Amino acid sequence: MPRNADIQKVLVIGSGPIVIGQAAEFDYAGTQACRSLRREGIEVVLLNSNPATIMTDKDIADHVYIEPLTADTTEAVIRREKPDSILPTLGGQAGLNLAMELAESGFLEQEHVRLIGTTPETIKKAEDRQLFKDTMEKIGEPVAASRVVRNPEDGLDFVKTIGYPAVLRPAYTLGGSGGGIAKNEKEFCEILTNGLRLSRVGEVLVERCLSGWKEIEYEVMRDHNGTCIAVCNMENLDPVGIHTGDSIVAAPSQTLGDKEYQILRSSAFRIIEELQITGGCNVQFALNPDSMEYCVIEVNPRVSRSSALASKATGYPIAKVTAKIALGYNLDEIRNEITGKTYASFEPVLDYCVVKIPRLPFDKFIDADRTLTTQMKATGEVMSICDNFEGALMKAIRSLEQHAESLMSYDYTGYSTEEIKKLLTDVCDRRIWVIAEALRKGVSYHTIHDITRIDTWFIDKIANLVEMENSLRKVRDIYKGTMDPDILREAKRMEFPDSVISELTGIDERHVKEIRLENGILPSYRMVDTCAAEFEAETPYYYSVYDGVSENITETDRKKILVLGSGPIRIGQGVEFDYCSVHCTWAFSKAGYETIIINNNPETVSTDFDIADKLYFEPLTPEDVESITDKEKPFAAVVQFGGQTAIGLTEHLIRTGVPILGTSAEYIDAAEDRERFEKILEECHIKRPRGRTVYTAEEAKAAAHLLGYPVLVRPSYVLGGQGMQIALCDEDVDAYIGIINRIAQNHPILIDQYISGTEAETDAVCDGNDILIPGVMEHIERSGIHSGDSVSVYPARSLSKKVIGTIADYSGRLAKALHVLGMINIQFIVKNEQVYVIEVNPRSSRTVPFISKVTGIPVIELASQAMMGKTIYEMGYEPGLQRESNYYAVKMPVFSFEKISGAEVTLGPEMKSTGECLGIAENFQEALYKSFLGAGFRLAEYKNIIMTVKDSDKDAAVEASAKFIKAGCRIYATAGTAKAIEAAGLPVTAIRKIRQGSPNILDLILTHQIDLIVNTTKPGVKHEKDGFRIRRTAVETGVTTLTSIDTACALAVCLSERKREEMSLVDVASEI
Amino acid sequence: MKAYLMLEDGHVFEGSTAVAFKDTISEIVFNTSMTGYPEIFTDPSYAGQAVVMTYPMIGNYGICRNDLESGQIRPDFFMLREMARMPSNFRCEESLDHFLKKQDIPVITGIDTRTLTKLLREEGTMNGLATTKAQENSEIIRNKLHSYKTGNVVERMTCSSQYTLTSPKSSKMIAVLDFGVKRSILKSLQRRGCSVTVFPAGTAAEEITGCHPDGIVLSNGPGDPKDCSNIIREIKKLCDSDIPMLAVCLGHQLISLAMGADTYRLKYGHRGGNHPVRNLLNGKVFMTSQNHGYAVKTCSMDRSKAQPLFENVNDGTNEGFLYINKKIITVQFHPEASPGPLDTGYLFDTFLKMTEVNQ
């Protein structure tokens, strides 16, 4: 069918802020789809509240609304832009829900807007639990037996029909809290009773337990003609019971015979046929490992994290094809752009193996529960490609950037065999390391399989890696360091890094490489071509293998530039760095360079096959990067845009003869090196909080006494304030240094005086001489909370002209002193009109996409041009601080606390947010209001508020309470806070603390009477247990929890001063 | 020990083998299926050929006898990137390694299968020698390779005498002309309630029609269809009998030749489970399982006799005919799948429906 000519203007809804379970994959899918829609001549209107994304760029859509993803704003955008269609399947669950809400309310019909891609009926059938069950039953597809129960008796009745173990899931609790697996009646009653209490609606779903079954996913597509294809299938190494987002996944399936493969594939087709899906769809199955029995777990009628993975794993652009199907094309009318010869109506075949490993945030939440469950906890993931499973697993492990290079990296050697067996029962993110140790200790495959239910095929692969460790150890222990080239060849085939080979054999790492070179043991680069070499491919998307012949890698006569990506998305290094890498690549491409990207994150735009001239899907370690630069010989590399990942590779690149474009390594180092940096500040006459560099806890305490408590304790060379804490006493210092040492660290520890003031931040471009400052941002929270977790406002509101002048002046001086060429990010504290510099990063930062979008200045492109030698004047700009925008913009952090059980909610110097959203308007109040809305604050619903704050916040708490009361809220407070509020003559209900017995604050929360809780505590290690319990309970039962009094005050102002009027909209593509 | 593949064009690929084997010459073809090696390894259509599997890890789920397409391994030898040392699947009865050793079939592992596949794609299907002797790929070897012919492989693959398979609720009798039939074709018919009588390839048409079958299936099989002139003669008679017919792969090519159309050799054939085929009547596309080195020239078919029913989406080659005024459907691909997608299994139902109308 040709393209539907009625479709002229399409609204694409994005997925909003990055949260656990909804990450960069939707930026990738949305960007790809928007670009392909525009290529079809469609006018694209984009709505997404997330400013850090590439999809919200004016290059991607014709009209861009970075507004809260609510029904109200969507309706307003539709009324203003009058699109004829909405494409709802690219914005994850958030986008889909929003589109459904508008469809069901009749708004879309009234405005003559249709949903394209997938109809509301289809979405409903797939999403509504009961409708889905009925549909599956109608076509004879098995689903796990389940029932919603409202009392224990019904639960016990039902469980008799399905037997134990049984799964219980309370409705409307977050992070799977209150749910669990019951192995017997006693456990069942316990979990059920608790779950009924926790559930807002008093409902618990009881379900047949399939844990231990194989978890298999199919990414399928269907067009209007009923043609169905399976793009990819994937097998989870971790059986059913762990969310697929937290599982190690292999593509294609490894342990399924053709009969099983085809049974599930055909089932997926029957399902999408019945649901009348048009576009991409994800179908998840549980497959009994001992029979052909299977159950359909879930169907996602949209692009998803798995579809992003499948796209990168196969080279098949699911989002693009989905968009084209939405326009009316059929699969056999869409060309496969990888081969240029075949069509989208074929199934990719792989001649390699893909492994995905999730990136979990336990390095940020060190006290959180590491157990993996059906609630996803990963913030991101890495993917690797190799022609053997062992190699793919090894590459993926080192791509994680978690100080692990092999299956020996987490040390379990000290445990006894019995202890190891016990550890195997813990389903956590380090399970494969425990399995490796179990194998080293001689535990049988059978025993490991019995405990973990992981297929023995995977266990054997881990065993093969363990055997190779032993072979390499023998080189040292028996062969006295004489390396048999065949063993080395085999070790490299399995992707043992040289460093690990060196560690095991005792041969120096450089010498390992020499032996490799002598014996011709070098990586070759293969192409991901969708067709296992059956057709000639044109797309340069490469992965490495040892022991093979390289493809003919296309060469151009253009100068080659290497852009390093930022690896997996983690707290502190998110999608914003992908934004930077992609824009840098485009800038160099535009200037006529040949661009090469190395990255390993399947969720991102940067790893889409048509962003750079060449894509290497490889780990970002010195050795892997060196192998590529040895082959490609780029004229230079850019490290400023790939976060700390890329910065960390600078030294190695230079050592291997690759020049760095932009600020030189010497000055990158100077910004990080305490002594050199202090010297520079001194020369520039700039103040900073006094500080010391230390190596031991004793030195740290001595420094703290000298500086005076409170002090900031942090490791150097990290992003996102990892390990950074405010210490109030010696005990805190001891504890923090202990924690820092738990995370492998080769760098010194910094102790700084803590100054309480207003934080400000700039991102600037320097051409080596002049500096361009797009704007100054100011934080709402006072210093002490990580900049990534603070509400950031542009233009700065409370800072005086003089202070802003000083900030601009300091930025210029620092950029010049550090010989910055490209990006620089500087963070300040302002106290009593004094400006202190607290941090300088000679690289692109988290706020760059935000400041670019709200000022309209293409910061990354300008920085890239500066690196290419252009001056700021030549770029058409006046140096210095740019004119303030007519709009206020607020960047609001978004957290995923409810998903990580046991995580401390209180904010501090260590970053905890997973994403951000934007509020933009002509006046500050509205911008702030929008940003709260966008972050998911249900502003209109806040009626009952608990205040329980530390002494120093009491005055502010009274002020906030007054405003909340003015807005019609009722205040509850614990004794001290209540007294303060009462003293101000305000109405307040005093409530008891937990230790004062029931009824108390916890009961109030658990009976769902509270909408918002403001709880601030003193920093330091000694977080009282009760406070922690209150915050966790609040977060898990869906109560908004604020831990900074400044945020609470801002919210109170929003509620009390907000007039209910039509919300304004800003099209950032045309109005800025 | 080291093992080598020497190609007609002078290329040598190195790999290894666990056991020594004697020099073997064969036609080298590649298959892109990611699953289904037990079916592929026992598919009689591979007689006279040796198979490169493009998927690098083969043997992961071992061998289950129920999956086999014939009683023994059919290709002459195999080239694999890696053979699983420890298969794992609840249906696994033995390892692939053991299965190959038992039947004394050579396998070269550790070979750079991607480079080899690309070569076959660029140069076309070639003959090759599997050997464990380190030697130069000399002119003598190359000449020998060049002159190698697979010969009349259908004769080798067909059954020696007629046999019948019944089904519990047999309502129809289907005659299958065996050119090297895959068991799954027979199973597809049995599963649909047919009793199946299998005839050797050389059976005279009269003998088959004399049994009054409700329908006739011409099976898949190996080799060049033009080598089968005697069979083609009999097929022509079968076509005139008005008994509904379904022809698969070689069967499809043989009917086409019987009806006066022409066949030709493809550069490197279609072997895998992801080949898109368009139904020309409704535009719908299906994924199909394919295994053929020859194809029917669409334009050579007299349009008054048959109309193209299916075409390959990738290269436009003919994938099947619907015969005019006859109850004959022929397909180049494999509706019985095994291995591969089950999407076109409905053709067996279509065929059986034709036999009903006949009654």
Side-chain angles (χ1 to χ4, degrees):
Chain A
M1 238 192 312
R3 166 157 121 57
N4 181 346
D6 295 344
I7 304 172
Q8 296 291 335
K9 187 169 181 179
V10 174
L11 170 66
V12 174
I13 305 178
S15 66
I18 302 246
V19 287
I20 288 174
Q22 199 154 269
E25 62 270 17
F26 299 107
D27 189 27
Y28 158 63
T31 304
Q32 194 184 68
C34 288
R35 292 171 76 206
S36 88
L37 289 176
R38 285 182 90 189
R39 245 172 260 156
E40 291 286 334
I42 303 278
E43 189 177 347
V44 177
V45 183
L46 187 81
L47 172 64
N48 188 358
S49 58
N50 186 345
T53 51
I54 294 160
M55 76 188 304
T56 48
D57 253 3
K58 51 180 143 191
D59 308 343
I60 303 298
D62 299 283
H63 310 278
V64 178
Y65 293 90
I66 313 181
E67 303 282 357
L69 291 177
T70 62
D72 288 347
T73 24
T74 316
E75 286 180 5
V77 169
I78 290 171
R79 277 199 206 96
R80 175 161 165 185
E81 290 292 343
K82 307 205 180 311
D84 51 59
S85 313
I86 297 183
L87 186 50
T89 49
L90 297 163
Q93 201 59 45
L96 206 58
N97 291 349
L98 200 50
M100 278 307 283
E101 201 180 328
L102 298 187
E104 281 172 353
S105 74
F107 178 81
L108 296 186
E109 206 180 337
Q110 175 197 320
E111 296 290 318
H112 308 291
V113 184
R114 78 205 115 173
L115 291 188
I116 54 169
T118 285
T119 62
E121 295 73 48
T122 295
I123 297 172
K124 202 137 190 237
K125 268 193 201 169
E127 296 280 322
D128 182 284
R129 213 184 267 274
Q130 193 57 44
L131 269 179
F132 177 68
K133 225 171 120 181
D134 296 346
T135 311
M136 290 305 104
E137 267 159 25
K138 181 183 151 208
I139 58 169
E141 291 299 331
V143 287
S146 66
R147 183 180 293 168
V148 173
V149 301
R150 289 174 191 83
N151 58 61
E153 296 72 41
D154 286 358
L156 282 167
D157 265 359
F158 178 67
V159 79
K160 283 193 189 107
T161 65
I162 56 167
Y164 293 103
V167 184
L168 295 105
R169 301 179 208 272
Y172 297 100
T173 64
L174 303 170
S177 65
I181 295 173
K183 290 182 211 75
N184 50 50
E185 193 172 316
K186 185 168 168 279
E187 284 181 19
F188 184 82
C189 290
E190 270 173 29
I191 301 175
L192 182 56
T193 317
N194 186 41
L196 288 169
R197 188 163 88 108
L198 280 175
S199 165
R200 228 163 230 276
V201 288
E203 286 179 1
V204 171
L205 181 83
V206 181
E207 197 177 62
R208 179 184 172 194
C209 180
L210 302 174
S211 59
W213 287 28
K214 292 182 184 185
E215 187 164 348
I216 312 287
E217 286 183 71
Y218 278 73
E219 288 301 321
V220 288
M221 313 234 18
R222 184 177 171 279
D223 67 16
H224 305 276
N225 211 8
T227 296
C228 296
I229 63 156
V231 175
C232 186
N233 89 332
M234 291 171 269
E235 175 173 9
N236 291 9
L237 179 143
D238 302 294
V240 175
I242 301 184
H243 192 284
T244 178
D246 284 355
S247 297
I248 298 177
V249 175
S253 60
Q254 299 296 336
T255 70
L256 264 54
D258 190 61
K259 298 287 181 276
E260 293 152 298
Y261 183 104
Q262 302 302 343
I263 284 173
L264 296 182
R265 179 182 172 280
S266 297
S267 164
F269 283 10
R270 279 193 296 274
I271 292 168
I272 60 172
E273 182 64 38
E274 179 61 27
L275 295 175
Q276 292 284 300
I277 302 271
T278 45
C281 182
N282 162 266
V283 185
Q284 291 173 23
F285 295 102
L287 176 66
N288 189 330
D290 303 312
S291 74
M292 291 287 198
E293 187 190 2
Y294 69 87
C295 276
V296 182
I297 303 177
E298 190 175 297
V299 171
N300 290 304
R302 52 175 173 85
V303 302
S304 61
R305 177 182 49 263
S306 295
S307 74
L309 180 65
S311 292
K312 300 292 165 68
T314 59
Y316 189 102
I318 293 174
K320 180 180 287 184
V321 175
T322 295
K324 293 211 172 181
I325 289 175
L327 294 183
Y329 290 108
N330 284 328
L331 286 162
D332 56 336
E333 295 165 333
I334 304 165
R335 234 173 226 293
N336 172 356
E337 283 174 43
I338 295 247
T339 62
K341 289 178 180 62
T342 53
Y343 291 85
S345 60
F346 85 114
E347 297 195 347
V349 283
L350 282 57
D351 56 357
Y352 48 82
C353 162
V354 167
V355 170
K356 173 217 97 174
I357 305 188
R359 178 65 155 82
L360 287 146
F362 302 130
D363 50 347
K364 283 284 178 186
F365 299 107
I366 50 164
D367 294 320
D369 179 6
R370 294 186 96 100
T371 310
L372 303 181
T373 64
T374 50
Q375 165 61 53
M376 182 172 166
K377 293 179 176 176
T379 56
E381 62 193 32
V382 296
M383 182 184 106
S384 69
I385 315 176
C386 193
D387 65 358
N388 61 89
F389 180 83
E390 293 89 336
L393 185 68
M394 287 292 281
K395 277 191 189 180
I397 286 172
R398 64 177 183 268
S399 297
L400 285 170
E401 292 178 58
Q402 285 182 319
H403 309 286
E405 294 189 290
S406 72
L407 288 172
M408 300 175 294
S409 299
Y410 303 124
D411 189 9
Y412 289 98
T413 48
Y415 291 84
S416 72
T417 306
E418 283 315 305
E419 284 169 331
I420 285 287
K421 278 193 207 162
K422 208 155 164 280
L423 280 178
L424 280 175
T425 57
D426 294 343
V427 184
C428 78
D429 59 322
R430 295 200 170 157
R431 190 152 67 155
I432 56 170
W433 283 269
V434 179
I435 291 174
E437 187 59 29
L439 290 162
R440 285 182 206 112
K441 290 196 155 50
V443 181
S444 71
Y445 288 14
H446 187 74
T447 307
I448 297 171
H449 169 71
D450 267 1
I451 299 172
T452 62
R453 305 302 298 166
I454 292 175
D455 197 284
T456 41
W457 188 86
F458 294 110
I459 297 170
D460 180 55
K461 293 290 164 187
I462 295 173
N464 204 14
L465 288 165
V466 169
E467 285 163 31
M468 178 50 73
E469 291 167 12
N470 290 335
S471 304
L472 290 168
R473 265 192 211 103
K474 277 188 196 149
V475 172
R476 181 187 61 199
D477 299 341
I478 299 176
Y479 304 107
K480 310 226 162 8
T482 310
M483 180 75 97
D484 174 354
D486 284 342
I487 289 183
L488 184 57
R489 187 169 282 118
E490 184 62 7
K492 291 310 282 185
R493 191 185 71 84
M494 293 186 204
E495 290 288 344
F496 273 67
D498 287 356
S499 56
V500 173
I501 294 172
S502 164
E503 181 191 328
L504 286 164
T505 58
I507 300 170
D508 178 72
E509 188 180 332
R510 279 280 129 192
H511 189 49
V512 172
K513 189 175 180 189
E514 280 162 28
I515 305 174
R516 286 207 286 114
L517 288 175
E518 279 162 25
N519 291 281
I521 306 171
L522 292 167
S524 61
Y525 293 90
R526 299 291 177 100
M527 200 184 280
V528 171
D529 62 7
T530 71
C531 61
E534 185 172 3
F535 303 98
E536 198 182 337
E538 291 159 353
T539 309
Y541 169 11
Y542 303 107
Y543 64 96
S544 71
V545 296
Y546 275 83
D547 245 17
V549 179
S550 269
E551 314 264 346
N552 291 326
I553 290 177
T554 2
E555 296 293 336
T556 64
D557 49 9
R558 290 173 282 152
K559 262 186 169 175
K560 285 183 195 172
I561 185 87
L562 174 66
V563 180
L564 296 169
S566 54
I569 296 218
R570 65 208 92 160
I571 292 172
Q573 191 164 301
V575 65
E576 53 277 2
F577 293 98
D578 201 61
Y579 171 94
C580 299
S581 300
V582 168
H583 274 278
C584 164
T585 307
W586 282 339
F588 276 93
S589 214
K590 213 156 119 188
Y593 288 80
E594 180 185 319
T595 51
I596 302 168
I597 283 185
I598 310 177
N599 203 359
N600 50 44
N601 184 342
E603 305 174 315
T604 54
V605 178
S606 68
T607 50
D608 205 354
F609 65 91
D610 60 357
I611 296 296
D613 291 307
K614 288 175 189 165
L615 165 66
Y616 285 87
F617 215 105
E618 289 283 289
L620 285 158
T621 70
E623 181 186 335
D624 294 287
V625 172
E626 185 180 340
S627 297
I628 294 165
T629 54
D630 279 354
K631 180 149 193 95
E632 286 285 352
K633 304 202 172 12
F635 110 95
V638 178
V639 295
Q640 285 186 14
F641 303 112
Q644 207 60 36
T645 303
I647 289 284
L649 289 162
T650 309
E651 204 185 306
H652 193 85
L653 282 164
I654 291 171
R655 201 168 346 119
T656 53
V658 183
I660 303 295
L661 219 53
T663 313
S664 73
E666 192 197 335
Y667 287 101
I668 292 176
D669 194 60
E672 300 276 5
D673 183 285
R674 163 67 55 124
E675 278 173 33
R676 295 181 60 192
F677 184 57
E678 281 192 342
K679 218 171 140 221
I680 288 171
L681 285 176
E682 232 166 75
E683 284 163 14
C684 296
H685 307 287
I686 295 174
K687 286 205 199 81
R688 53 153 294 138
R690 288 175 302 130
R692 291 284 179 279
T693 304
V694 300
Y695 290 87
T696 65
E698 292 316 309
E699 285 172 32
K701 280 180 277 184
H705 284 283
L706 197 76
L707 301 166
Y709 283 108
V711 292
L712 269 178
V713 183
R714 65 186 161 121
S716 54
Y717 290 97
V718 293
L719 202 59
Q722 189 180 328
M724 194 194 288
Q725 297 285 2
I726 296 172
L728 298 180
C729 59
D730 286 0
E731 209 184 336
D732 290 350
V733 171
D734 279 329
Y736 296 150
I737 295 209
I739 291 165
I740 289 171
N741 289 340
R742 251 195 269 169
I743 311 160
Q745 263 292 329
N746 300 320
H747 296 295
I749 293 160
L750 311 178
I751 307 286
D752 285 323
Q753 182 193 12
Y754 167 73
I755 299 174
S756 175
T758 305
E759 280 200 36
E761 192 170 348
T762 59
D763 288 295
V765 176
C766 188
D767 62 10
N769 194 33
D770 288 317
I771 187 167
L772 180 152
I773 306 167
V776 176
M777 296 161 270
E778 175 193 346
H779 296 173
I780 283 188
E781 291 81 2
R782 71 197 72 173
S783 53
I785 291 181
H786 190 276
S787 62
D789 286 352
S790 306
V791 182
S792 183
V793 183
Y794 163 82
R797 290 172 60 241
S798 75
L799 303 180
S800 67
K801 271 216 168 92
K802 184 184 143 229
V803 165
I804 288 184
T806 311
I807 285 174
D809 174 41
Y810 281 8
S811 303
R813 283 192 225 169
L814 277 169
K816 208 155 190 176
L818 286 167
H819 297 82
V820 171
L821 193 56
M823 292 300 313
I824 184 169
N825 165 266
I826 310 171
Q827 294 174 26
F828 306 90
I829 291 181
V830 183
K831 190 175 185 181
N832 302 332
E833 292 291 285
Q834 286 286 339
V835 178
Y836 301 84
V837 167
I838 47 172
E839 203 176 314
V840 173
N841 299 302
R843 54 164 174 78
S844 189
S845 83
R846 182 175 307 108
T847 40
V848 164
F850 167 70
I851 200 75
S852 303
K853 278 167 201 178
V854 300
T855 59
I857 297 170
V859 176
I860 299 291
E861 189 180 339
L862 301 185
S864 303
Q865 286 183 6
M867 291 181 200
M868 291 180 245
K870 267 199 180 171
T871 65
I872 286 168
Y873 283 108
E874 283 167 346
M875 298 170 204
Y877 287 85
E878 273 295 313
L881 181 62
Q882 304 296 297
R883 198 178 62 83
E884 273 182 13
S885 157
N886 297 328
Y887 293 95
Y888 275 99
V890 177
K891 178 170 91 69
M892 177 75 63
V894 176
F895 303 87
S896 305
F897 291 128
E898 71 279 8
K899 311 242 162 76
I900 305 161
S901 57
E904 174 52 78
V905 175
T906 298
L907 300 182
E910 168 143 10
M911 185 167 159
K912 293 180 175 176
S913 59
T914 49
E916 65 195 47
C917 70
L918 181 78
I920 185 164
E922 277 178 17
N923 71 72
F924 170 69
Q925 289 307 340
E926 191 181 356
L928 186 64
Y929 186 83
K930 280 185 178 182
S931 71
F932 275 120
L933 270 188
F937 285 70
R938 297 177 302 272
L939 296 172
E941 291 171 24
Y942 295 143
K943 292 283 170 271
N944 295 298
I945 299 172
I946 293 178
M947 304 281 278
T948 167
V949 302
K950 63 184 176 193
D951 286 344
S952 55
D953 284 345
K954 295 248 151 80
D955 290 348
V958 170
E959 214 177 292
S961 299
K963 295 212 168 81
F964 281 131
I965 290 163
K966 191 181 151 203
C969 302
R970 181 167 173 194
I971 306 287
Y972 297 83
T974 48
T977 314
K979 213 168 133 194
I981 297 172
E982 214 162 27
L986 295 166
V988 60
T989 311
I991 49 170
R992 287 203 262 186
K993 291 186 173 169
I994 296 181
R995 59 172 175 271
Q996 292 166 328
S998 276
N1000 59 31
I1001 182 167
L1002 204 61
D1003 298 309
L1004 208 56
I1005 295 169
L1006 275 173
T1007 46
H1008 312 297
Q1009 298 183 46
I1010 296 300
D1011 309 303
L1012 170 74
I1013 172 162
V1014 179
N1015 174 218
T1016 70
T1017 52
K1018 272 190 264 179
V1021 180
K1022 278 204 276 178
H1023 277 170
E1024 11 63 274
K1025 277 202 186 114
D1026 286 356
F1028 178 78
R1029 226 174 118 200
I1030 289 167
R1031 291 187 291 276
R1032 280 309 312 174
T1033 310
V1035 158
E1036 282 164 20
T1037 51
V1039 177
T1040 309
T1041 307
L1042 297 178
T1043 64
S1044 160
I1045 196 69
D1046 301 321
T1047 328
C1049 288
L1051 181 66
V1053 169
C1054 253
L1055 286 183
S1056 62
E1057 295 184 13
R1058 169 85 188 141
K1059 292 176 214 83
R1060 295 211 60 83
E1061 63 203 26
E1062 183 83 349
M1063 206 155 35
S1064 69
L1065 294 172
V1066 181
D1067 175 358
V1068 300
S1070 64
E1071 292 169 51
I1072 288 178
Chain B
M1 103 182 50
K2 281 191 173 162
Y4 307 89
L5 172 72
M6 311 213 158
L7 289 175
E8 212 175 329
D9 72 343
H11 276 92
V12 178
F13 286 83
E14 191 186 301
S16 60
T17 173
V19 286
F21 55 78
K22 60 176 197 292
D23 286 7
T24 314
I25 294 178
S26 193
E27 183 181 291
I28 314 296
V29 295
F30 66 85
N31 185 304
T32 59
S33 302
M34 297 188 288
T35 53
Y37 58 85
E39 291 90 335
I40 294 165
F41 285 25
T42 51
D43 180 348
S45 296
Y46 284 106
Q49 295 175 326
V51 179
V52 184
M53 296 300 288
T54 62
Y55 190 66
M57 291 175 280
I58 299 294
N60 292 1
Y61 54 94
I63 295 287
C64 165
R65 260 169 247 133
N66 237 331
D67 293 345
L68 306 184
E69 285 298 327
S70 70
Q72 66 191 81
I73 299 171
R74 297 303 183 174
D76 295 318
F77 59 88
F78 297 94
M79 290 136 286
L80 311 177
R81 189 89 185 94
E82 181 187 339
M83 178 146 58
R85 66 172 190 177
M86 220 223 53
S88 170
N89 189 287
F90 77 101
R91 294 168 75 237
C92 168
E93 292 162 69
E94 62 180 314
S95 71
L96 172 61
D97 188 30
H98 185 252
F99 182 65
L100 290 164
K101 270 186 195 142
K102 224 171 48 186
Q103 300 192 34
D104 207 14
I105 301 294
V107 54
I108 309 179
T109 57
I111 210 161
D112 185 348
T113 47
R114 181 169 169 89
T115 306
L116 175 55
T117 302
K118 277 167 64 187
L119 190 69
L120 296 173
R121 171 189 88 202
E122 296 300 322
E123 306 298 320
T125 305
M126 277 187 268
N127 297 327
L129 164 73
T131 175
T132 50
K133 291 192 267 301
Q135 57 192 324
E136 195 196 334
N137 190 350
S138 62
E139 209 181 318
I140 304 167
I141 292 178
R142 294 203 302 274
N143 285 339
K144 214 162 130 192
L145 285 173
H146 199 65
S147 59
Y148 167 79
K149 289 270 182 300
T150 50
N152 193 334
V153 268
V154 169
E155 240 165 60
R156 264 169 50 203
M157 290 301 118
T158 186
C159 54
S160 49
S161 57
Q162 160 190 344
Y163 62 95
T164 300
L165 302 165
T166 53
S167 148
K169 41 168 186 142
S170 299
S171 57
K172 290 190 187 102
M173 200 280 259
I174 302 298
V176 174
L177 203 46
D178 175 12
F179 311 126
V181 70
K182 284 168 70 185
R183 279 177 182 166
S184 52
I185 292 185
L186 306 179
K187 283 186 196 164
S188 297
L189 294 165
Q190 280 179 287
R191 208 181 304 130
R192 288 171 172 83
C194 302
S195 84
V196 181
T197 303
V198 183
F199 294 88
T203 310
E206 296 77 9
E207 200 180 317
I208 298 169
T209 51
C211 294
H212 305 291
D214 295 301
I216 301 171
V217 170
L218 304 188
S219 85
N220 63 297
D224 183 345
K226 286 181 183 164
D227 286 345
C228 305
S229 41
N230 294 340
I231 300 171
I232 293 167
R233 214 172 34 239
E234 297 307 313
I235 289 177
K236 193 158 172 31
K237 289 190 230 161
L238 289 176
C239 292
D240 294 337
S241 74
D242 267 356
I243 300 172
M245 281 167 78
L246 172 69
V248 174
C249 198
L250 181 67
H252 151 82
Q253 295 165 1
L254 294 175
I255 291 197
S256 302
L257 289 170
M259 294 299 216
D262 194 13
T263 60
Y264 64 104
R265 191 181 157 115
L266 294 167
K267 191 174 176 189
Y268 54 92
H270 295 165
R271 292 174 192 86
N274 69 334
H275 292 269
V277 159
R278 186 183 291 112
N279 180 333
L280 295 165
L281 301 183
N282 60 16
K284 195 166 166 175
V285 176
F286 298 92
M287 293 308 121
T288 63
S289 176
Q290 302 208 357
N291 172 19
H292 60 109
Y294 294 86
V296 179
K297 262 187 208 157
T298 314
C299 61
S300 69
M301 176 62 79
D302 182 344
R303 293 301 280 266
S304 66
K305 287 182 182 158
Q307 70 173 102
L309 179 58
F310 293 105
E311 70 173 6
N312 189 300
V313 176
N314 287 340
D315 62 9
T317 53
N318 176 265
E319 292 284 355
F321 286 110
L322 185 62
Y323 283 80
I324 292 161
N325 297 325
K326 295 210 176 285
K327 289 170 181 160
I328 303 176
I329 293 179
T330 72
V331 287
Q332 180 60 70
F333 54 86
H334 292 264
E336 78 284 7
S338 306
L342 309 168
D343 306 5
T344 50
Y346 74 90
L347 284 167
F348 286 103
D349 300 314
T350 311
F351 164 63
L352 291 176
K353 212 161 245 159
M354 290 184 340
T355 66
E356 269 161 31
V357 181
N358 203 37
Q359 285 166 347

